[in-house]
Amino acid sequence: MADFEGMPIGFIGLGIMGKPMARNLAAAGYTLVIYNRSQDDIDTLLAEGGQFQAAGSPCDVAERTKAVITMLPDSPDVRDVVLGDNGVLPALGTGHLLIDMSTIAPATAVEVNGAVRERGARALDAPVSGGDKGAIAGTLSIMVGGDAEDVQRAMPLFEAMGKTIVHVGGAGAGQIVKACNQVVVAVNYAAVSEALVLGAKAGVDPDKIVQVLSGGLAASRVLELKGQTMIAHQFAPGFRTDLHRKDLGIALSTAGANSVPTPITALVTQLFEALAAAGTGDLDHSALVTVYEEMAKFTIGDMG
Ligand code: NAD
């Protein structure tokens, strides 16, 4: 089946990630039929030019396009947009492709895939990694679950938004890999936080710690991209802590369903719980360092 060249593309969920991803599709030449719960985000894109056209509901998006991309916060939001009132499902038929790029539970991805197939349409789960910076730059890592022929059809769309695009398996496999990704990122944030608070409270300039660790085996994207902003307490999202907490919940339940002990994920989840309890759900996940500061009764920002 042909790809979607020259056809309008539906995009639902225009938040921190969805807006720049939609902009990159527009820059690649696609016209986008957009919908979002809050009107502000729709208006922002409409003001940028005629390649964006507003729809009145998720169903309206699907009626006007053959490929619909969703970039929503959590599993209930995807269920709502696809299966709920005015959702995309009744408008789907042969030739339609639903591409969910949100991070949701693998079981929900499988459920959505099944419901879409019952309509004669196809679905992919294609969550991403790379943060808002990767979304803006069009360099996201995209982990795709679904059938190979559908991945091929979607490839020009993925290439407009990402750089590393890997078909990782059947329905739900993309979400399983994304859960693995979120474990690695969360544990990395905990390690960087622990090291910075340790070094700084013991009397060493944290900027120097970031500088020298970045050149050795301890180097990581978290250290490189967020080391300085963690020291400076710049926590504007980025990736909201309550979304990462949601992802660790997905990782733990996926681990439970597969009888895989994940002790480090369980521990880091508790640190994210402490962050949520402090009322910081809307801060960037790099604010995890403040949990360590609170435990150590020491603020590295004061030294940096
Ligand atoms: P966000 O909260 O900034 O954006 C979500 C958007 O979806 C909002 O504009 C909201 O109004 C809209 N929305 C919510 N429910 C809706 C509904 N029922 N109908 C229509 N619109 C609805 O979140 P984000 O940071 O853009 O993240 C989106 C997804 O991508 C999440 O699953 C997140 O875990 C994942 N993700 C985020 C990042 C990041 O760095 N922010 C990185 C990788 C993956």
Side-chain angles (χ1 to χ4, degrees):
M1 203 172 284
D3 66 21
F4 303 101
E5 195 183 341
M7 294 184 182
I9 304 299
F11 206 111
I12 303 172
L14 304 166
I16 289 176
M17 297 295 285
K19 267 203 297 301
M21 290 163 71
R23 284 187 182 112
N24 282 330
L25 286 165
Y30 293 98
T31 298
L32 293 167
V33 179
I34 56 175
Y35 179 76
N36 193 63
R37 189 164 53 191
S38 56
Q39 184 65 33
D40 285 4
D41 295 311
I42 297 175
D43 293 342
T44 301
L45 289 184
L46 291 182
E48 292 179 14
Q51 66 275 45
F52 297 107
Q53 298 171 4
S57 68
C59 187
D60 187 23
V61 171
E63 278 168 354
R64 292 162 58 177
T65 60
K66 282 284 184 191
V68 177
I69 297 172
T70 47
M71 193 54 173
L72 299 158
D74 199 354
S75 308
D77 306 305
V78 173
R79 290 190 93 260
D80 185 35
V81 162
V82 179
L83 311 174
D85 291 345
N86 287 319
V88 301
L89 196 66
L92 297 183
T94 308
H96 266 103
L97 182 63
L98 174 72
I99 308 169
D100 179 36
M101 304 189 76
S102 330
T103 304
I104 64 169
T108 306
V110 171
E111 178 194 359
V112 165
N113 191 296
V116 168
R117 274 180 174 271
E118 275 180 22
R119 301 275 324 158
R122 309 296 276 261
L124 296 170
D125 49 291
V128 306
S129 179
D132 57 326
K133 287 193 173 62
I136 292 165
T139 56
L140 292 167
S141 269
I142 308 178
M143 37 217 103
V144 194
D147 287 358
E149 67 201 70
D150 299 323
V151 179
Q152 271 322 107
R153 287 176 77 204
M155 197 52 84
L157 304 177
F158 289 146
E159 284 170 347
M161 297 180 279
K163 198 169 74 176
T164 305
I165 301 144
V166 181
H167 180 202
V168 294
Q175 296 297 351
I176 291 171
V177 176
K178 177 64 183 179
C180 300
N181 183 86
Q182 294 306 80
V183 167
V184 174
V185 175
V187 171
N188 219 309
Y189 269 113
V192 170
S193 300
E194 202 161 298
L196 288 179
V197 173
L198 164 65
K201 192 175 181 187
V204 179
D205 180 350
D207 288 322
K208 298 249 190 303
I209 298 173
V210 169
Q211 187 186 345
V212 71
L213 264 58
S214 298
L217 193 56
S220 70
R221 295 283 286 160
V222 166
L223 196 60
E224 178 196 333
L225 293 176
K226 299 289 184 146
Q228 299 296 341
T229 56
M230 287 163 80
I231 293 167
H233 275 207
Q234 290 166 0
F235 299 134
F239 186 49
R240 291 187 284 119
T241 61
D242 57 5
L243 288 178
H244 207 146
R245 197 166 135 252
K246 172 247 326 176
D247 295 348
L248 292 172
I250 291 170
L252 287 176
S253 57
T254 304
N258 289 280
S259 299
V260 178
T262 49
I264 298 178
T265 306
L267 188 153
V268 176
T269 301
Q270 289 301 307
L271 299 175
F272 273 86
E273 289 300 338
L275 202 51
T280 55
D282 280 336
L283 296 186
D284 188 71
H285 54 167
S286 56
L288 191 66
V289 71
T290 62
V291 173
Y292 279 90
E293 290 178 328
E294 178 61 26
M295 290 192 291
K297 300 292 174 224
F298 175 81
T299 305
I300 48 173
D302 292 345
M303 258 197 101

